[in-house]
Amino acid sequence: MEKNNTLKLKFESARKYAPAPESRSAAKINAQYELFINGRFEKPLSGKYFDTINPATEEKLSQVAEANDADVDRAVKAARNAYENVWRDMPGAERGKYIFRIARMIQERARELAVIETLNGGKPIRESRDFDIPVVANHFFYYAGWADKLEYAFPNRRPQPLGVAAQIIPWNFPLMMAAWKIAPAIATGNTVVLKPAETTPLTALKLAEIIQESGLPPGVVNIITGAGATGSALVNHPDVNKIAFTGSTEVGKHIQRAIGGTAKRTTLELGGKAANIIFDDAPIDQAVEGVINGIFFNQGHVCCAGSRLYVQESVLGEVIRKLKDRLETLIVGDPMDKNTDIGAINSRQQLENINKYLDIGRAEGAEMYQPDIELPGKGFFCKPTIFTNVAQSNRISQEEIFGPVLTIQSFRTDDEVIEKANNSPYGLSAGVWTDKGSKIFNLTTKLRAGVVWANTYNQFDPTSPFGGYKESGYGREGGLHGLNAYVKF
Amino acid sequence: MSVKNKETIAAETEADMRQPEEASRRLEVLKTYKIFIGGKFPRTESGRYYVAQDEAGHKLANVCLSSRKDFREAVVAARTAFGDWGSRAAFNRGQILYRIAEMLEGRKLQFIDELVKQGAGQAAAGQEVEQSIDRLIYYAGWCDKFQQLFSSVNPVATSHFNFSVPEPTGVVSILAPQDSALLGLVSVIAPVIAGGNTCVVLGSYSKPLSAVTFAEVLSTSDVPGGVVNILTGKMEELAPYFADHMDVNALVYCGDDMEMKKLLQQKAALNLKRVVFYDHVDWMSANGQSPYLIADSQEIKTTWHPIENIGGAKAGY
């Protein structure tokens, strides 16, 4: 019998956090949003609109325009015109100043953006306030400074912009993904048509307001809303030079097929199934905290989420016990409450998908554990979940679930865990927890993944390149290497 | 089966009229042109061959018409070799690339002879071989330098040590240039293996001799078996397999056939291979070599490591 030294806090009985809700009044949301084309908000030629909701309450927040083929064509024409007549030939220093200005205006309106991000996407206000929006502003600020220094990034070459970039982004970090796409593209002299995800269009449209206010020349950035059909029209538009996509591996493959035989360039940032590895010499409490952050950050809607935990056999019992204890203390509920750790699942469809995997996991014989907590009566919520007794071949340890679901497996040797960690079609990220420096670098060198966190997890920075190996896509976003995606020679 | 090159055909014609005492002249030993997989020279498992001809229609050799299974076996060899080659010291890879150049230099005349048989002029053949040797030297030098060029230490805002380095992408399938039988071949193989990848290469269909003889150079150059595998055969037949094999990480195509490019990109999407096209590259020119060609088969890996923050350390000492 293992000795239990953990002092377990009994939140359910001894103490409760009083609600600490962020105020909705910080955000102004219009009843209806149009398409942002050529510097103006234009009614869609389709004449159609679709509702966008708050996934925590299922209430309608607004309705947004649905761009059809003709709308996509208008946006691409506006981008082409701005590229050829204004942006391409503008001195880099001037381009940079526009982008710096946008970064500053985002900082000024940070609170409003954070509130809307949480209302529309379901992520805890603590995350949108302290992580998403600061990263957005910093990303613009970082790339603004590159605009007039591009020759230094590519020794012995003369970088040139590609032209019109079609950018399609997901719903898990709506505004942050917009920043990761737009900032390097326009810093390098390209113009942009951006399509935010169907379920989370509002912060991108707020960004459109900021861009309009910033005086950025019309057409340099166009933001159009819609679902899969709109994205498809954008990818297939003949006058687009570059596709930048973040989303599922399945759609990424469709895009690579669709652009076959064209001169369009692509970068794809796709799915992941990251291994997070704990060795027996790791500081266990710190590692457990890192695992919690690795899988439950943003409800697990993170392509680089540490969803496969590998624990060295001698500490397996201790780690599982501490994880279960920690699970009991997580606060799941109202995303607008500043105490909330896990907010709402982004959509009903995604919740159904996660629940499907919970069924699959149990049917495969894995043991499921969820804390004994109440979920709100309305909205889309999922308890943080861990699976033990998992086999490497189980679907829950092979396929990306994109929710708060962790699988736990054990290992004995370094070679064994490297083999298991790399046994995945994905290769976006990985984590390693150990006190031994030489072991860290052995592991970080051998793990086939684009981002490796040692004794930390889910860290991001504008200066740090992000992107995957294998079926997690190609190209990097962030840092010096992120410029590559938007230049030719 | 006898294989005839121009000289043997001429010799046979001559032989018809030869004097009795000349009948005892030594018979030339002809080379069997085989493929190169895992450091060995098998014939194609399919047993198929085609007759390579010079421009005048004379037979150069019977050449292996490689099959899908040959390709798959070559990928297994390349994947097996990757663990060792990719993790070798960059300096060691540089020495081995230099050794390839040494071996090529030593067999210069043989390569010139084959290029001439394949239709090149004597002077042009000499230039092509010399340029090929120099290209290997060029990339031998890059083996332990491109990493510094493409790496960065990233000044993140949090208390972390963060750096990005290039790593080889893995197994690369290469559809080598059809017209530049030796220089083109060397120019696409060298940057891929300099960067620590292993590869499976399809040589020129109409000028296959140089590719096979280059394999013999590789096999005597300390290049571990499986690092470079060379097949001969039809591009139209093999290209789809080069593009859709699930254990290949990147694909290089040297050509400008738009239909072929479309097919390759679509097939490569199956496991999201990195697809690189080198069309209209003049391999004789300075544009035919660059560290950026090495970068085409590299991945960038970023590592984060926390830096301890000690409270009192702000004083500045």
Side-chain angles (χ1 to χ4, degrees):
Chain A
M1 177 92 190
E2 204 171 338
K3 207 174 149 198
N4 186 343
N5 288 326
T6 313
L7 185 66
K8 191 175 165 186
L9 296 173
K10 291 201 176 304
F11 277 76
E12 69 280 7
S13 56
R15 37 193 269 195
K16 267 194 163 41
Y17 282 105
E22 168 64 290
S23 166
R24 263 190 82 144
S25 65
K28 180 175 161 286
I29 300 174
N30 299 345
Q32 180 174 306
Y33 282 95
E34 314 298 344
L35 306 171
F36 183 63
I37 296 174
N38 209 27
R40 285 189 301 274
F41 285 93
E42 302 269 6
K43 292 209 173 299
L45 296 174
S46 71
K48 286 186 192 162
Y49 293 85
F50 60 96
D51 291 351
T52 188
I53 65 162
N54 178 348
T57 61
E58 301 176 54
E59 287 163 355
K60 177 178 169 180
L61 293 171
S62 178
Q63 62 181 22
V64 299
E66 184 182 327
N68 66 9
D69 291 10
D71 293 310
V72 168
D73 187 54
R74 271 199 302 169
V76 172
K77 282 203 170 85
R80 172 64 56 196
N81 183 49
Y83 175 69
E84 283 175 0
N85 298 316
V86 187
W87 199 244
R88 177 181 61 188
D89 303 319
M90 184 183 285
E94 291 303 301
R95 281 202 313 264
K97 278 156 66 183
Y98 280 108
I99 305 168
F100 277 124
R101 185 186 280 188
I102 292 169
R104 281 306 211 202
M105 293 175 75
I106 290 167
Q107 289 174 328
E108 285 167 6
R109 293 172 68 170
R111 183 167 177 206
E112 179 185 17
L113 291 167
V115 168
I116 297 175
E117 197 74 307
T118 284
L119 287 172
N120 199 195
K123 66 173 64 201
I125 185 71
R126 204 155 41 86
E127 289 179 14
S128 45
R129 181 193 65 195
D130 298 344
F131 175 73
D132 290 65
I133 307 306
V135 167
V136 168
N138 297 357
H139 215 83
F140 277 103
F141 201 90
Y142 174 77
Y143 276 108
W146 268 121
D148 58 349
K149 305 171 187 68
L150 297 173
E151 318 82 81
Y152 296 97
F154 305 97
N156 221 22
R157 293 192 132 183
R158 291 189 55 236
Q160 304 292 323
L162 298 171
V164 175
Q167 306 183 317
I168 299 171
I169 58 171
W171 43 260
N172 55 343
F173 296 96
L175 193 59
M176 190 175 113
M177 289 295 113
W180 282 26
K181 293 282 178 291
I182 294 172
I186 62 176
T188 45
N190 302 278
T191 58
V192 162
V193 180
L194 176 97
K195 188 194 89 66
E198 183 186 359
T199 57
T200 54
L202 293 184
T203 44
L205 292 161
K206 276 281 159 187
L207 178 64
E209 290 177 5
I210 290 173
I211 285 169
Q212 192 180 41
E213 205 184 316
S214 76
L216 187 76
V220 173
V221 173
N222 304 276
I223 297 178
I224 58 173
T225 44
T230 310
S232 173
L234 190 52
V235 166
N236 291 312
H237 194 288
D239 203 27
V240 159
N241 303 95
K242 157 86 188 180
I243 318 282
F245 172 75
T246 297
S248 72
T249 290
E250 191 192 348
V251 175
K253 289 179 179 179
H254 279 303
I255 290 175
Q256 187 173 333
R257 289 192 187 101
I259 61 146
T262 71
K264 291 174 191 172
R265 302 236 320 229
T266 35
T267 41
L268 304 171
E269 203 272 88
L270 308 174
K273 190 76 186 175
N276 205 352
I277 302 165
I278 301 181
F279 285 93
D280 59 6
D281 62 350
I284 299 294
D285 288 342
Q286 213 177 309
V288 165
E289 213 41 45
V291 169
I292 294 284
N293 171 47
I295 185 61
F296 301 126
F297 176 59
N298 199 31
Q299 295 74 247
H301 300 328
V302 186
C303 46
C304 53
S307 51
R308 287 185 293 153
L309 176 63
Y310 291 96
V311 186
Q312 200 155 23
E313 211 170 72
S314 51
V315 291
L316 180 64
E318 183 186 356
V319 167
I320 291 177
R321 177 167 48 75
K322 287 186 169 174
L323 273 174
K324 285 180 177 175
D325 286 353
R326 183 68 177 87
L327 238 53
E328 300 291 337
T329 68
L330 290 173
I331 301 171
V332 185
D334 181 8
M336 289 287 275
D337 192 316
K338 292 166 193 164
N339 295 320
T340 295
D341 296 306
I342 299 180
I345 299 301
N346 186 265
S347 65
R348 181 182 299 281
Q349 190 195 0
Q350 185 58 20
L351 180 60
E352 283 167 2
N353 195 43
I354 295 166
N355 285 334
K356 180 191 83 183
Y357 275 105
L358 299 186
D359 293 340
I360 290 170
R362 276 173 295 189
E364 283 176 324
E367 280 170 41
M368 187 171 93
Y369 178 84
Q370 291 180 322
D372 183 21
I373 49 172
E374 290 270 311
L375 295 180
K378 266 172 79 182
F380 316 129
F381 290 90
C382 178
K383 289 182 184 178
T385 306
I386 59 180
F387 276 106
T388 53
N389 199 18
V390 176
Q392 184 79 13
S393 60
N394 285 170
R395 283 182 66 190
I396 51 168
S397 73
Q398 287 287 327
E399 297 172 19
E400 184 178 42
I401 298 173
F402 224 62
V405 183
L406 178 71
T407 64
I408 305 178
Q409 292 173 257
S410 67
F411 69 93
R412 288 184 180 173
T413 66
D414 297 13
D415 284 347
E416 180 192 352
V417 78
I418 291 167
E419 180 85 33
K420 282 179 165 171
N422 285 338
N423 181 0
S424 164
Y426 296 112
L428 187 53
S429 61
V432 182
W433 299 84
T434 166
D435 211 22
K436 194 174 177 194
S438 58
K439 194 189 286 179
I440 286 176
F441 287 110
N442 180 30
L443 266 286
T444 56
T445 309
K446 288 186 176 149
L447 293 170
R448 303 288 291 159
V451 183
V452 184
W453 289 288
N455 291 328
T456 182
Y457 207 93
N458 273 345
Q459 299 288 338
F460 306 88
D461 194 277
T463 67
S464 175
F466 182 91
Y469 284 29
K470 301 193 277 187
E471 293 190 26
S472 290
Y474 40 76
R476 294 292 176 267
E477 292 182 295
L480 167 67
H481 299 87
L483 295 169
N484 256 321
Y486 292 99
V487 294
K488 64 183 177 194
F489 303 102
Chain B
M1 181 171 300
S2 78
V3 181
K4 295 170 188 173
N5 58 24
K6 270 195 252 175
E7 281 168 32
T8 48
I9 291 164
E12 280 170 9
T13 319
E14 208 181 306
D16 293 339
M17 303 174 291
R18 70 192 157 195
Q19 302 299 313
E21 64 269 25
E22 282 180 303
S24 65
R25 247 174 59 176
R26 182 177 175 277
L27 181 70
E28 186 191 0
V29 177
L30 298 174
K31 181 160 108 185
T32 311
Y33 284 85
K34 298 198 287 186
I35 54 179
F36 185 52
I37 299 176
K40 297 191 169 64
F41 289 91
R43 289 191 177 82
T44 165
E45 62 79 35
S46 66
R48 303 177 309 168
Y49 74 102
Y50 70 98
V51 179
Q53 295 173 323
D54 66 12
E55 275 165 4
H58 297 118
K59 177 174 174 175
L60 295 172
N62 290 329
V63 178
C64 289
L65 191 59
S66 302
S67 65
R68 180 184 192 179
K69 187 152 192 295
D70 292 321
F71 172 68
R72 289 163 66 166
E73 282 168 5
V75 172
V76 171
R79 176 60 64 193
T80 308
F82 176 61
D84 170 40
W85 184 246
S87 55
R88 279 193 187 219
F91 178 73
N92 182 249
R93 284 202 300 266
Q95 288 195 307
I96 292 176
L97 260 80
Y98 189 86
R99 180 77 177 156
I100 305 174
E102 288 179 350
M103 292 299 104
L104 189 52
E105 179 85 36
R107 296 171 68 162
K108 215 163 131 180
L109 293 177
Q110 184 185 3
F111 278 95
I112 293 173
D113 180 50
E114 283 179 350
L115 285 172
V116 169
K117 282 179 191 162
Q118 289 172 159
Q122 190 72 33
Q127 268 181 5
E128 181 169 349
V129 176
E130 281 172 5
Q131 181 74 271
S132 302
I133 297 164
D134 292 352
R135 188 135 297 163
L136 285 161
I137 304 284
Y138 174 82
Y139 283 108
W142 270 120
C143 285
D144 55 2
K145 294 170 192 67
F146 76 89
Q147 297 86 342
Q148 288 174 311
L149 201 62
F150 299 128
S151 290
S152 59
V153 172
N154 311 311
V156 295
T158 49
S159 181
H160 292 93
F161 176 53
N162 176 297
F163 60 95
S164 301
V165 292
E167 284 188 349
T169 192
V171 174
V172 182
S173 61
I174 303 175
L175 299 163
Q178 288 293 307
D179 45 355
S180 184
L182 178 65
L183 180 59
L185 181 85
V186 168
S187 300
V188 290
I189 291 174
V192 165
I193 62 171
N197 301 283
T198 59
C199 58
V200 181
V201 191
L202 180 66
S204 166
Y205 179 80
S206 59
K207 303 172 178 176
L209 307 187
S210 307
V212 175
T213 307
F214 185 66
E216 293 159 17
V217 166
L218 292 168
S219 111
T220 52
S221 305
D222 302 330
V223 181
V227 170
V228 182
N229 305 274
I230 298 182
L231 306 180
T232 50
K234 276 204 184 83
M235 166 122 56
E236 308 80 70
E237 181 192 349
L238 293 175
Y241 311 132
F242 273 58
D244 72 4
H245 194 293
M246 287 298 282
D247 204 24
V248 171
N249 301 92
L251 166 71
V252 174
Y253 168 63
C254 309
D256 55 4
D257 177 349
M258 216 53 194
E259 279 306 305
M260 178 61 85
K261 283 184 177 178
K262 183 175 179 178
L263 174 108
L264 295 174
Q265 259 174 337
Q266 291 181 341
K267 294 266 182 194
L270 191 62
N271 68 338
L272 290 164
K273 274 178 204 70
R274 289 75 175 113
V275 181
V276 185
F277 294 145
Y278 298 128
D279 40 6
H280 309 295
V281 177
D282 176 6
W283 300 107
M284 283 302 285
S285 76
N287 291 333
Q289 59 183 31
S290 157
Y292 292 99
L293 266 61
I294 303 176
D296 284 340
S297 54
Q298 297 289 306
E299 304 283 343
I300 296 297
K301 176 185 277 181
T302 299
T303 305
W304 290 71
H305 197 292
I307 299 172
E308 189 175 32
N309 262 333
I310 301 169
K314 297 258 185 203
Y317 46 84

